[in-house]
Amino acid sequence: MVTQTVDDGNADGAETVRITVLLEGGHRETVTVSLQDPQLEILMRQLGAPDPGLRLLQLPVREGQAMLAVRSDRIVGVVSEPPMHMDLSDEPLAAPAVEVSKVFVKDDFLPSEQLKRVYAYALKNAGRFVETSTSSTDRDYRQSEVLFDFPEIAEDIRTRIRKLLPEVHAALGCAPLSSTIEVQMTAHNDGNYYKVHNDNGSEDTARRELTFVYYFHGKPKKFTGGELRVFDSVIRERRYVAAESSQLVTPDDNRIVFFLSRYLHEVQEIRCPSHRFEDGRFTINGWVHQL
C-alpha cells in the first residue's frame, strides 16, 4: 500500500487535497480529490517514473460539474494544496495485461503425393520468383522471394483451407470468415528473414483477419532457422504492441499454422550453406478475409 502524508499545514486532518494539474502546452486544471483516490496514486507515479502502460485519468473538475479526462503521459507536473508528500517506494503499478497469442498448428496438411507435387512445382518455377517487398521503406526489413501466380496449386490449397476453417475458428475463438483467401508462394534461402510486423496494418490489408503459413522443403532438410515467432500482445495507446513473451513455431515439412493477422510476428533468419534454391525453406502463405 502507498503511504500518503500531508505536511503540518493540513492541521485539520482533511481527507482531500486540491491539485492543480499542469498539462502539455501550458494548460492547467484544478481538481479536489480524496487522498484515498487511486487516480491520485497513478498521477503521482506517472510523474515520478513514467509507467510504460499509458492510462486515461478521469478527475472531477469545476466542483464536480465536469470531468477532466487526460492521458497520463500528457501531465507535466502538479501543485498540491496543502503541501502533500506520497511515499511511492513500494511495488510499482501492475504492468499492462498480456494477451497470449492463440496459434493453431496442424501437421500432415497435404497427402504425400500432393506435397511432392507442390515442391516440384516450386523448383520448376524457380525463375518466376521475384524479390519480396513491404509497405516499409526499409529495404532490409524483409529478405525473400515470392511467386504470386500459381493457379495449378493455389485453388487446391484454398479448398483444403476452407474445409479446415471451422476447426481453426473454434481453436482461435474467432467468428466465421468469408471464403476470400489470398495466397502466395515464398522461398527463403541463406540469410533471409522477415522482421517484426503484423499482416493487416495498412489500408490495403485491413480486411485480413487470419494469417496462415504452410511449410514444405526438400528431404533431407538442408537449412536451419526460419522459425516463426508469434508475439503475445499488450494494448498501449489504443493499439496492440508486442509483449516480451512469444510462441515459436518450427517450419516442419507439411505443417500449416494459423493465427490472427493483427498479431506481431517475425521469421527468424535462415541458414542454408549450399545457397541452392531447392535446399531452402518454402511456404504457401496467405490470409483469410473478414466477412
Side-chain angles (χ1 to χ4, degrees):
M1 178 181 294
V2 173
T3 301
Q4 303 170 338
T5 61
V6 179
D7 291 349
D8 292 340
N10 192 22
D12 60 0
E15 293 297 321
T16 61
V17 63
R18 190 175 179 83
I19 296 289
T20 300
V21 183
L22 309 178
L23 305 171
E24 284 184 350
H27 303 289
R28 61 177 61 200
E29 286 285 352
T30 300
V31 301
T32 300
V33 296
S34 165
L35 288 174
Q36 283 72 47
D37 191 331
Q39 299 281 345
L40 182 58
E41 179 184 342
I42 294 173
L43 175 62
M44 299 305 289
R45 284 190 183 279
Q46 179 67 31
L47 290 170
D51 185 81
L54 297 179
R55 290 168 169 78
L56 180 67
L57 294 177
Q58 300 182 73
L59 302 170
V61 297
R62 301 173 193 168
E63 306 300 327
Q65 299 304 305
M67 183 72 73
L68 169 64
V70 61
R71 273 177 32 182
S72 56
D73 64 334
R74 296 295 184 258
I75 299 171
V76 297
V78 298
V79 178
S80 64
E81 301 175 67
M84 180 188 66
H85 170 73
M86 297 184 70
D87 181 4
L88 304 176
S89 59
D90 60 350
E91 295 182 2
L93 292 171
V98 174
E99 177 186 336
V100 177
S101 296
K102 296 178 180 179
V103 177
F104 176 85
V105 177
K106 184 176 181 61
D107 292 324
D108 301 321
F109 177 64
L110 293 181
S112 59
E113 289 305 312
Q114 179 67 0
L115 171 60
K116 292 177 183 178
R117 180 182 172 218
V118 170
Y119 178 63
Y121 184 91
L123 300 191
K124 182 179 179 180
N125 290 272
R128 297 177 54 223
F129 282 75
V130 297
E131 184 178 349
T132 52
S133 62
T134 68
S135 58
S136 170
T137 58
D138 183 358
R139 290 183 58 85
D140 293 330
Y141 204 79
R142 181 184 185 186
Q143 296 290 329
S144 58
E145 294 184 326
V146 63
L147 177 63
F148 293 107
D149 183 28
F150 50 106
E152 302 90 333
I153 302 295
E155 195 51 44
D156 182 56
I157 295 295
R158 290 190 179 99
T159 298
R160 292 179 184 276
I161 286 175
R162 290 188 187 104
K163 291 180 179 179
L164 191 58
L165 279 179
E167 188 177 352
V168 176
H169 294 154
L172 300 185
C174 59
L177 303 170
S178 77
S179 58
T180 302
I181 301 174
E182 293 181 72
V183 293
Q184 62 185 34
M185 188 178 293
T186 307
H188 287 83
N189 212 280
D190 192 60
N192 288 174
Y193 56 83
Y194 198 165
K195 294 181 181 179
V196 179
H197 65 285
N198 65 25
D199 288 343
N200 60 2
S202 68
E203 183 177 352
D204 292 341
T205 61
R207 296 188 65 81
R208 294 174 178 173
E209 184 69 16
L210 284 181
T211 295
F212 61 87
V213 186
Y214 170 67
Y215 301 103
F216 62 99
H217 57 73
K219 296 180 180 179
K221 180 181 175 183
K222 296 182 180 179
F223 69 89
T224 58
E227 294 87 358
L228 169 70
R229 184 177 295 278
V230 182
F231 291 89
D232 297 333
S233 304
V234 296
I235 297 178
R236 294 196 179 117
E237 298 189 66
R238 299 184 180 181
R239 64 188 183 92
Y240 289 95
V241 299
E244 293 184 4
S245 53
S246 62
Q247 300 180 55
L248 200 65
V249 180
T250 58
D252 294 349
D253 191 41
N254 207 17
R255 163 178 285 182
I256 192 167
V257 55
F258 291 81
F259 55 93
L260 298 184
S261 296
R262 67 171 173 80
Y263 288 164
L264 287 160
H265 55 284
E266 67 178 0
V267 176
Q268 298 192 323
E269 188 172 355
I270 288 86
R271 287 300 175 194
C272 183
S274 75
H275 294 258
R276 296 190 302 182
F277 182 81
E278 61 267 29
D279 292 340
R281 169 193 183 271
F282 295 92
T283 70
I284 295 176
N285 54 286
W287 305 273
V288 184
H289 285 207
Q290 295 174 340
L291 288 170

